[in-house]
C-alpha cells in the first residue's frame, strides 16, 4: 500500500525536496540524506508539525536523537513550528536519546527483567547511577586493589582519569554490543606495544567484573548496565514489544550516523513495528567513530528504506 500524503498546504520556506519530506504520509519508510546544513532536520520537524497540526496524538511519535543537546534544540524548534501551524498541541512528542529511552523503559518494565538479568533484589526498586555516583562506586572497588595489591602501579595516570577509563571500558562494551567479560582480550588484541602493559588490562578486566557484580548485588544501574539490560533483556521481551507497538505509530531518527550500534539495533527493531519510519543521515560522516558512532550501520539501515530523498544544496543560515 503506497504511503498516504498529508494534505497540508506547502510552506514557502521549504525547498521542493524538503516539501517532499514534510508532506510524507503516515505509512512507509523514508531515508533523508545529504551533506550537513542542507535542511534535513528542518524537513523532519516540518513533517512532525504538519501531522500534529492535523490532529494526530503527539505521544504516538518517537524521535530518536544522538545527544541531549539535540533533544533540547528539537523541542524548541518543534514548539515554534507548531505555533506557526496553529496546531492544537505545543509538545508531547517523545524526544529521546538511546540511553534515556533505555532507562525509562527499564524503570517501567523492571519487574519483568530484573531477576533474569541477575539482580539479587529484583523486588526492590532500581537505582540509576549518574557519572559521579558511578565513579564513587567504582572507586570503592578499585581503591583496595590499588592500596593492598598494587594494581595499576605501572600506569602513570591520575585517579580521575583511571576511573574514567575503567568506566569507559564498560560503556563501550555495552554500546558496541559485546560482553563486558571480553574487555581484557579485546584490549590485548588491540595493543601493539611492550608486554608490560598487558598486566593493567587484566586488572582493568577484574575491576569491571567486580563492579558489575556489586551493581547486581545492590540494584545499581550504571550507563553500561542500562544499555546492556535494555538491548539483551528488554528488547526481546514479548511484553515490551506489545507495549511499544500499541503506543508508537511513527519513528523518526535524526543524525543516525552519530548514534551507536545498539541504538541502530533499536531502530531496526522499531522499523518493523512502526507504520512510518523516517531516517536522516549526514553524508561523509564518521568522525565520531571514536565515541562509538557507527556510520556504516546507519547506511545499512538507510538501505532498508523504500524511499529516499537527497538534499544536496547547503542552505543559507
Amino acid at each position: 500500500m503506497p504511503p498516504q500524503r498529508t494534505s497540508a498546504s506547502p510552506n514557502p520556506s521549504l525547498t521542493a525536496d524538503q516539501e517532499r519530506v514534510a508532506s510524507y504520509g503516515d505509512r512507509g519508510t523514508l531515508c533523508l540524506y545529504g551533506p550537513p546544513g542542507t535542511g534535513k532536520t528542518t524537513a523532519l520537524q516540518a513533517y512532525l508539525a504538519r501531522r500534529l497540526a492535523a490532529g494526530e496524538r503527539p505521544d504516538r511519535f518517537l524521535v530518536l536523537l544522538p545527544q541531549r543537546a539535540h533533544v533540547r534544540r528539537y523541542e524548541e524548534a518543534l514548539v515554534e513550528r507548531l505555533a506557526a501551524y496553529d496546531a492544537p498541541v505545543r509538545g508531547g512528542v517523545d524526544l529521546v536519546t538511546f540511553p534515556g529511552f533505555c532507562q525509562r523503559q527499564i524503570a517501567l518494565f523492571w519487574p519483568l527483567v530484573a531477576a533474569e538479568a541477575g539482580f539479587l533484589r529484583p523486588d526492590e526498586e532500581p537505582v540509576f547511577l549518574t557519572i559521579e555516583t558511578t565513579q564513587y562506586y567504582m572507586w570503592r572497588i578499585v581503591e583496595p586493589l590499588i592500596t593492598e595489591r598494587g594494581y595499576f602501579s605501572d600506569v602513570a595516570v591520575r585517579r580521575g582519569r583511571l576511573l574514567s577509563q575503567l568506566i569507559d571500558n564498560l560503556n563501550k562494551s555495552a554500546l558496541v554490543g559485546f560482553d563486558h567479560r571480553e574487555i581484557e582480550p579485546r584490549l590485548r588484541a588491540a595493543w601493539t606495544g611492550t608486554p608490560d602493559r598487558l598486566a593493567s588490562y587484566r586488572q582493568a578486566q577484574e575491576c569491571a567484573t567486580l563492579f558489575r557484580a556489586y551493581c547486581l548485588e545492590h540494584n545499581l544501574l550504571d550507563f553500561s548496565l542500562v544499555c546492556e539490560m535494555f538491548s539483551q533483556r528488554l528488547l526481546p521481551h514479548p511484553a515490551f514489544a506489545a507495549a511499544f507497538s500499541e503506543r508508537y505509530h511513527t519513528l523518526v531518527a535524526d543524525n543516525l550516523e552519530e548514534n551507536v550500534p545498539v541504538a541502530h539495533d533499536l531502530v531496526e527493531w522499531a522499523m518493523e513495528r512502526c507504520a512510518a519510519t523516517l531516517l536522516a543521515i549526514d553524508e561523509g560522516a564518521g568522525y565520531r567513530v571514536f565515541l562509538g558512532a557507527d556510520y556504516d550501520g546507519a547506511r545499512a539501515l538507510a538501505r532498508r528504506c523504500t524511499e529516499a530523498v537527497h538534499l544536496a544544496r547547503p542552505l543559507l543560515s
Side-chain angles (χ1 to χ4, degrees):
M1 181 178 179
Q4 299 176 1
R5 306 293 171 175
T6 63
S7 58
S9 60
N11 186 331
S13 67
L14 300 178
T15 67
D17 286 329
Q18 287 177 314
E19 182 62 37
R20 179 181 169 190
V21 176
S23 60
Y24 198 73
D26 59 0
R27 295 288 188 277
T29 54
L30 173 71
C31 174
L32 178 61
Y33 66 103
T38 51
K40 297 181 294 297
T41 295
T42 298
L44 290 178
Q45 292 168 349
Y47 168 77
L48 292 168
R50 287 190 180 186
R51 288 191 58 186
L52 295 177
E56 296 195 46
R57 287 172 44 188
D59 62 343
R60 298 280 280 163
F61 295 81
L62 177 64
V63 179
L64 181 66
L65 302 166
Q67 299 177 50
R68 291 181 184 177
H70 290 83
V71 172
R72 290 192 295 270
R73 291 196 296 267
Y74 238 85
E75 187 172 35
E76 293 170 358
L78 191 54
V79 167
E80 291 181 2
R81 287 195 169 272
L82 289 171
Y85 280 108
D86 195 24
V89 296
R90 292 295 184 269
V93 174
D94 212 353
L95 302 164
V96 299
T97 62
F98 176 73
F101 183 74
C102 292
Q103 179 172 321
R104 191 174 66 193
Q105 300 307 315
I106 288 172
L108 184 62
F109 290 93
W110 174 256
L112 293 180
V113 293
E116 181 184 349
F119 286 91
L120 300 186
R121 306 174 184 179
D123 295 332
E124 298 180 10
E125 293 292 323
V127 178
F128 295 99
L129 302 181
T130 64
I131 294 175
E132 292 76 16
T133 53
T134 300
Q135 290 182 331
Y136 169 79
Y137 285 111
M138 179 63 81
W139 182 242
R140 294 184 63 173
I141 299 296
V142 175
E143 183 182 25
L145 297 175
I146 292 177
T147 58
E148 299 172 13
R149 299 170 61 180
Y151 273 36
F152 305 111
S153 58
D154 59 335
V155 180
V157 63
R158 294 184 177 182
R159 165 183 164 178
R161 178 61 179 167
L162 174 62
L163 293 177
S164 295
Q165 187 59 60
L166 294 173
I167 294 167
D168 191 58
N169 289 338
L170 282 164
N171 292 346
K172 290 292 176 58
S173 71
L175 294 177
V176 175
F178 64 85
D179 194 289
H180 73 279
R181 290 167 293 188
E182 298 178 24
I183 290 174
E184 179 190 359
R186 286 174 178 264
L187 289 174
R188 291 172 66 94
W191 178 245
T192 58
T194 57
D196 56 340
R197 177 61 61 87
L198 300 181
S200 64
Y201 293 158
R202 175 183 56 79
Q203 294 161 4
Q205 178 66 77
E206 184 175 349
C207 290
T209 303
L210 290 172
F211 178 76
R212 178 58 60 84
Y214 187 88
C215 288
L216 293 175
E217 181 180 357
H218 296 90
N219 278 26
L220 305 177
L221 286 92
D222 66 317
F223 177 91
S224 69
L225 192 48
V226 165
C227 296
E228 183 178 310
M229 189 174 176
F230 175 83
S231 298
Q232 298 182 9
R233 304 293 179 181
L234 191 54
L235 198 61
H237 202 290
F240 175 72
F244 182 95
S245 299
E246 182 178 353
R247 172 167 181 179
Y248 296 113
H249 177 280
T250 298
L251 170 68
V252 173
D254 202 352
N255 292 111
L256 192 61
E257 80 289 341
E258 292 188 27
N259 234 318
V260 294
V262 287
H264 293 165
D265 292 341
L266 170 61
V267 172
E268 182 178 12
W269 179 91
M271 288 176 69
E272 299 177 358
R273 293 162 175 81
C274 290
T277 296
L278 286 79
L279 310 179
I281 299 174
D282 281 347
E283 287 181 323
Y287 61 93
R288 291 178 59 85
V289 64
F290 293 108
L291 299 177
D294 183 12
Y295 179 57
D296 292 336
R299 288 174 59 86
L301 285 172
R303 289 192 289 269
R304 296 173 61 92
C305 295
T306 58
E307 298 187 57
V309 173
H310 183 221
L311 299 184
R313 180 180 301 177
L315 303 177
L316 296 177
S317 58

